[in-house]
Amino acid sequence: MQEFAFTVSYERGVDDMMDVFIDQSGLYSRTVSCQATTDTMWRVDEVTGPREALVAYDRRLEKLERCTNLQGMGGCQLDLTYEVLSREPTSRLIYSRQSEGDGCRSIPYLAADSLGDGMLCRAEQYGNEYRWRLLTDDEASLSPIYDALEEHLREGLTLEFERLEQSPTWQTGRASGADLPYAQREALELVVEYGYYETPRRCSLQEIADAEGIPISTLQYRVTRAEAWLATTFLSNEPPDRSESAGIAGDE
């Protein structure tokens, strides 16, 4: 198998939905599931970020007229229905269905049409980038997809293709950073920035809280919860019976 990636970068003002990602730092979307036929594309997306970013995302989704994952990356009118499957303070799970049509084919349709059966795709949106990754047979070529996208690419968008030379790193069912609540991820990023985990430690949690105007109890709780998530996630990804193979149970 081989893995390809392509990224479409957006200038501000070119696409309504991507403007939300550009304006709202911390907003992140990834595909959970995606399926396309000659008539329809279905997908489920997980969107995470701070509360205010998700409120902006919700408002834009309600009024969305064009879609960023169509041929031309947003140049066609959108025939879309969607449902919010899960709504949390810092996350959304969105089911959507959109119709295929001449000149407005979705990216998964173009990929399946060019690469044939067995192709898998996933996507991420953050900042000004919409990044797609495709997993397919070794002999497959992405030239037809590239040509179809480039031919209709609208002004203000740039397209970059790459073939990933390393072994495919396709996502598994394991948890990723997107599963960490945004407030906890933000707290973790903050303490790393202040050198909390350096040796010797540059700043204590109290010093970081004072510098950022955050209650120490809030910062300590979020960092503790984030550390617990990291530890349990790491151990859950370890091979089974690790304690026995390491001889822990038999230590005197």
PDB file of all heavy atoms in Angstrom, residues 10 17-28 125-130:
ATOM      1  N   TYR A  10      -6.161  28.060   1.787  1.00  0.00           N
ATOM      2  CA  TYR A  10      -7.170  29.071   1.473  1.00  0.00           C
ATOM      3  C   TYR A  10      -6.724  30.447   1.927  1.00  0.00           C
ATOM      4  O   TYR A  10      -6.240  30.608   3.049  1.00  0.00           O
ATOM      5  CB  TYR A  10      -8.484  28.743   2.184  1.00  0.00           C
ATOM      6  CG  TYR A  10      -9.207  27.525   1.671  1.00  0.00           C
ATOM      7  CD1 TYR A  10      -8.729  26.247   1.944  1.00  0.00           C
ATOM      8  CD2 TYR A  10     -10.370  27.648   0.920  1.00  0.00           C
ATOM      9  CE1 TYR A  10      -9.390  25.118   1.475  1.00  0.00           C
ATOM     10  CE2 TYR A  10     -11.039  26.527   0.453  1.00  0.00           C
ATOM     11  CZ  TYR A  10     -10.550  25.272   0.732  1.00  0.00           C
ATOM     12  OH  TYR A  10     -11.197  24.159   0.268  1.00  0.00           O
ATOM     13  N   MET A  17     -16.674  28.712   5.244  1.00  0.00           N
ATOM     14  CA  MET A  17     -16.359  27.784   6.330  1.00  0.00           C
ATOM     15  C   MET A  17     -14.887  27.841   6.707  1.00  0.00           C
ATOM     16  O   MET A  17     -14.529  27.839   7.888  1.00  0.00           O
ATOM     17  CB  MET A  17     -16.761  26.356   5.954  1.00  0.00           C
ATOM     18  CG  MET A  17     -16.454  25.328   7.048  1.00  0.00           C
ATOM     19  SD  MET A  17     -17.224  25.732   8.653  1.00  0.00           S
ATOM     20  CE  MET A  17     -18.891  25.123   8.380  1.00  0.00           C
ATOM     21  N   MET A  18     -13.999  27.900   5.708  1.00  0.00           N
ATOM     22  CA  MET A  18     -12.573  27.953   6.029  1.00  0.00           C
ATOM     23  C   MET A  18     -12.214  29.242   6.754  1.00  0.00           C
ATOM     24  O   MET A  18     -11.274  29.264   7.550  1.00  0.00           O
ATOM     25  CB  MET A  18     -11.740  27.797   4.761  1.00  0.00           C
ATOM     26  CG  MET A  18     -11.745  26.394   4.186  1.00  0.00           C
ATOM     27  SD  MET A  18     -11.229  25.090   5.354  1.00  0.00           S
ATOM     28  CE  MET A  18      -9.548  25.563   5.718  1.00  0.00           C
ATOM     29  N   ASP A  19     -12.977  30.323   6.522  1.00  0.00           N
ATOM     30  CA  ASP A  19     -12.734  31.558   7.269  1.00  0.00           C
ATOM     31  C   ASP A  19     -12.919  31.345   8.766  1.00  0.00           C
ATOM     32  O   ASP A  19     -12.237  31.973   9.583  1.00  0.00           O
ATOM     33  CB  ASP A  19     -13.669  32.666   6.786  1.00  0.00           C
ATOM     34  CG  ASP A  19     -13.190  33.306   5.493  1.00  0.00           C
ATOM     35  OD1 ASP A  19     -12.064  33.010   5.059  1.00  0.00           O
ATOM     36  OD2 ASP A  19     -13.960  34.101   4.910  1.00  0.00           O
ATOM     37  N   VAL A  20     -13.850  30.461   9.143  1.00  0.00           N
ATOM     38  CA  VAL A  20     -14.043  30.172  10.566  1.00  0.00           C
ATOM     39  C   VAL A  20     -12.792  29.513  11.132  1.00  0.00           C
ATOM     40  O   VAL A  20     -12.326  29.864  12.230  1.00  0.00           O
ATOM     41  CB  VAL A  20     -15.274  29.260  10.779  1.00  0.00           C
ATOM     42  CG1 VAL A  20     -15.425  28.904  12.257  1.00  0.00           C
ATOM     43  CG2 VAL A  20     -16.535  29.933  10.270  1.00  0.00           C
ATOM     44  N   PHE A  21     -12.213  28.558  10.395  1.00  0.00           N
ATOM     45  CA  PHE A  21     -10.995  27.896  10.857  1.00  0.00           C
ATOM     46  C   PHE A  21      -9.817  28.877  10.900  1.00  0.00           C
ATOM     47  O   PHE A  21      -8.963  28.791  11.785  1.00  0.00           O
ATOM     48  CB  PHE A  21     -10.662  26.712   9.949  1.00  0.00           C
ATOM     49  CG  PHE A  21     -11.535  25.513  10.165  1.00  0.00           C
ATOM     50  CD1 PHE A  21     -12.738  25.374   9.485  1.00  0.00           C
ATOM     51  CD2 PHE A  21     -11.172  24.523  11.064  1.00  0.00           C
ATOM     52  CE1 PHE A  21     -13.548  24.270   9.687  1.00  0.00           C
ATOM     53  CE2 PHE A  21     -11.984  23.411  11.279  1.00  0.00           C
ATOM     54  CZ  PHE A  21     -13.177  23.288  10.590  1.00  0.00           C
ATOM     55  N   ILE A  22      -9.766  29.794   9.934  1.00  0.00           N
ATOM     56  CA  ILE A  22      -8.696  30.789   9.916  1.00  0.00           C
ATOM     57  C   ILE A  22      -8.820  31.732  11.108  1.00  0.00           C
ATOM     58  O   ILE A  22      -7.827  32.071  11.761  1.00  0.00           O
ATOM     59  CB  ILE A  22      -8.721  31.576   8.592  1.00  0.00           C
ATOM     60  CG1 ILE A  22      -8.358  30.662   7.418  1.00  0.00           C
ATOM     61  CG2 ILE A  22      -7.761  32.767   8.646  1.00  0.00           C
ATOM     62  CD1 ILE A  22      -8.550  31.291   6.055  1.00  0.00           C
ATOM     63  N   ASP A  23     -10.050  32.155  11.398  1.00  0.00           N
ATOM     64  CA  ASP A  23     -10.270  33.144  12.457  1.00  0.00           C
ATOM     65  C   ASP A  23     -10.236  32.549  13.854  1.00  0.00           C
ATOM     66  O   ASP A  23      -9.945  33.255  14.825  1.00  0.00           O
ATOM     67  CB  ASP A  23     -11.627  33.837  12.254  1.00  0.00           C
ATOM     68  CG  ASP A  23     -11.655  34.689  10.989  1.00  0.00           C
ATOM     69  OD1 ASP A  23     -10.582  35.093  10.525  1.00  0.00           O
ATOM     70  OD2 ASP A  23     -12.767  34.931  10.472  1.00  0.00           O
ATOM     71  N   GLN A  24     -10.551  31.260  13.967  1.00  0.00           N
ATOM     72  CA  GLN A  24     -10.671  30.632  15.285  1.00  0.00           C
ATOM     73  C   GLN A  24      -9.516  29.656  15.514  1.00  0.00           C
ATOM     74  O   GLN A  24      -9.561  28.506  15.121  1.00  0.00           O
ATOM     75  CB  GLN A  24     -12.008  29.886  15.405  1.00  0.00           C
ATOM     76  CG  GLN A  24     -13.234  30.750  15.219  1.00  0.00           C
ATOM     77  CD  GLN A  24     -13.429  31.736  16.359  1.00  0.00           C
ATOM     78  OE1 GLN A  24     -12.958  31.527  17.482  1.00  0.00           O
ATOM     79  NE2 GLN A  24     -14.134  32.816  16.081  1.00  0.00           N
ATOM     80  N   SER A  25      -8.461  30.141  16.148  1.00  0.00           N
ATOM     81  CA  SER A  25      -7.332  29.263  16.430  1.00  0.00           C
ATOM     82  C   SER A  25      -7.776  28.183  17.404  1.00  0.00           C
ATOM     83  O   SER A  25      -8.547  28.429  18.329  1.00  0.00           O
ATOM     84  CB  SER A  25      -6.165  30.057  17.020  1.00  0.00           C
ATOM     85  OG  SER A  25      -6.537  30.642  18.249  1.00  0.00           O
ATOM     86  N   GLY A  26      -7.323  26.977  17.194  1.00  0.00           N
ATOM     87  CA  GLY A  26      -7.712  25.865  18.041  1.00  0.00           C
ATOM     88  C   GLY A  26      -8.849  25.049  17.464  1.00  0.00           C
ATOM     89  O   GLY A  26      -9.098  23.934  17.930  1.00  0.00           O
ATOM     90  N   LEU A  27      -9.550  25.564  16.447  1.00  0.00           N
ATOM     91  CA  LEU A  27     -10.619  24.803  15.813  1.00  0.00           C
ATOM     92  C   LEU A  27     -10.007  23.749  14.894  1.00  0.00           C
ATOM     93  O   LEU A  27      -9.124  24.048  14.084  1.00  0.00           O
ATOM     94  CB  LEU A  27     -11.523  25.735  15.006  1.00  0.00           C
ATOM     95  CG  LEU A  27     -12.824  25.124  14.461  1.00  0.00           C
ATOM     96  CD1 LEU A  27     -13.718  24.660  15.595  1.00  0.00           C
ATOM     97  CD2 LEU A  27     -13.555  26.135  13.575  1.00  0.00           C
ATOM     98  N   TYR A  28     -10.474  22.520  15.026  1.00  0.00           N
ATOM     99  CA  TYR A  28      -9.879  21.397  14.306  1.00  0.00           C
ATOM    100  C   TYR A  28     -10.981  20.412  13.938  1.00  0.00           C
ATOM    101  O   TYR A  28     -11.859  20.106  14.749  1.00  0.00           O
ATOM    102  CB  TYR A  28      -8.843  20.711  15.187  1.00  0.00           C
ATOM    103  CG  TYR A  28      -8.280  19.416  14.631  1.00  0.00           C
ATOM    104  CD1 TYR A  28      -7.264  19.428  13.684  1.00  0.00           C
ATOM    105  CD2 TYR A  28      -8.759  18.182  15.067  1.00  0.00           C
ATOM    106  CE1 TYR A  28      -6.743  18.238  13.179  1.00  0.00           C
ATOM    107  CE2 TYR A  28      -8.242  16.994  14.573  1.00  0.00           C
ATOM    108  CZ  TYR A  28      -7.231  17.033  13.634  1.00  0.00           C
ATOM    109  OH  TYR A  28      -6.728  15.862  13.137  1.00  0.00           O
ATOM    110  N   GLN A 125      -9.091  19.595   8.820  1.00  0.00           N
ATOM    111  CA  GLN A 125      -9.192  21.029   8.577  1.00  0.00           C
ATOM    112  C   GLN A 125      -8.679  21.769   9.804  1.00  0.00           C
ATOM    113  O   GLN A 125      -9.111  21.494  10.926  1.00  0.00           O
ATOM    114  CB  GLN A 125     -10.638  21.446   8.311  1.00  0.00           C
ATOM    115  CG  GLN A 125     -11.203  21.000   6.982  1.00  0.00           C
ATOM    116  CD  GLN A 125     -12.675  21.315   6.865  1.00  0.00           C
ATOM    117  OE1 GLN A 125     -13.516  20.512   7.263  1.00  0.00           O
ATOM    118  NE2 GLN A 125     -13.003  22.472   6.325  1.00  0.00           N
ATOM    119  N   TYR A 126      -7.776  22.709   9.592  1.00  0.00           N
ATOM    120  CA  TYR A 126      -7.294  23.559  10.671  1.00  0.00           C
ATOM    121  C   TYR A 126      -6.579  24.748  10.057  1.00  0.00           C
ATOM    122  O   TYR A 126      -5.963  24.638   8.987  1.00  0.00           O
ATOM    123  CB  TYR A 126      -6.348  22.802  11.614  1.00  0.00           C
ATOM    124  CG  TYR A 126      -5.268  22.019  10.905  1.00  0.00           C
ATOM    125  CD1 TYR A 126      -4.070  22.612  10.543  1.00  0.00           C
ATOM    126  CD2 TYR A 126      -5.460  20.682  10.586  1.00  0.00           C
ATOM    127  CE1 TYR A 126      -3.081  21.894   9.886  1.00  0.00           C
ATOM    128  CE2 TYR A 126      -4.491  19.956   9.925  1.00  0.00           C
ATOM    129  CZ  TYR A 126      -3.298  20.573   9.583  1.00  0.00           C
ATOM    130  OH  TYR A 126      -2.335  19.854   8.916  1.00  0.00           O
ATOM    131  N   GLY A 127      -6.676  25.898  10.715  1.00  0.00           N
ATOM    132  CA  GLY A 127      -6.066  27.101  10.161  1.00  0.00           C
ATOM    133  C   GLY A 127      -6.608  27.374   8.768  1.00  0.00           C
ATOM    134  O   GLY A 127      -7.816  27.359   8.541  1.00  0.00           O
ATOM    135  N   ASN A 128      -5.707  27.597   7.819  1.00  0.00           N
ATOM    136  CA  ASN A 128      -6.143  27.853   6.440  1.00  0.00           C
ATOM    137  C   ASN A 128      -5.961  26.636   5.549  1.00  0.00           C
ATOM    138  O   ASN A 128      -5.993  26.768   4.320  1.00  0.00           O
ATOM    139  CB  ASN A 128      -5.359  29.034   5.858  1.00  0.00           C
ATOM    140  CG  ASN A 128      -3.900  28.685   5.570  1.00  0.00           C
ATOM    141  OD1 ASN A 128      -3.307  27.861   6.272  1.00  0.00           O
ATOM    142  ND2 ASN A 128      -3.324  29.293   4.557  1.00  0.00           N
ATOM    143  N   GLU A 129      -5.790  25.447   6.145  1.00  0.00           N
ATOM    144  CA  GLU A 129      -5.485  24.251   5.354  1.00  0.00           C
ATOM    145  C   GLU A 129      -6.573  23.190   5.456  1.00  0.00           C
ATOM    146  O   GLU A 129      -7.140  22.953   6.522  1.00  0.00           O
ATOM    147  CB  GLU A 129      -4.159  23.643   5.806  1.00  0.00           C
ATOM    148  CG  GLU A 129      -2.955  24.522   5.507  1.00  0.00           C
ATOM    149  CD  GLU A 129      -1.652  23.826   5.839  1.00  0.00           C
ATOM    150  OE1 GLU A 129      -1.670  22.754   6.485  1.00  0.00           O
ATOM    151  OE2 GLU A 129      -0.606  24.372   5.458  1.00  0.00           O
ATOM    152  N   TYR A 130      -6.849  22.577   4.325  1.00  0.00           N
ATOM    153  CA  TYR A 130      -7.719  21.401   4.235  1.00  0.00           C
ATOM    154  C   TYR A 130      -6.827  20.296   3.685  1.00  0.00           C
ATOM    155  O   TYR A 130      -6.434  20.324   2.527  1.00  0.00           O
ATOM    156  CB  TYR A 130      -8.884  21.682   3.291  1.00  0.00           C
ATOM    157  CG  TYR A 130     -10.087  20.780   3.466  1.00  0.00           C
ATOM    158  CD1 TYR A 130     -11.365  21.253   3.236  1.00  0.00           C
ATOM    159  CD2 TYR A 130      -9.956  19.457   3.872  1.00  0.00           C
ATOM    160  CE1 TYR A 130     -12.488  20.445   3.393  1.00  0.00           C
ATOM    161  CE2 TYR A 130     -11.058  18.646   4.040  1.00  0.00           C
ATOM    162  CZ  TYR A 130     -12.330  19.148   3.795  1.00  0.00           C
ATOM    163  OH  TYR A 130     -13.415  18.342   3.955  1.00  0.00           O
TER     164      TYR A 130
END
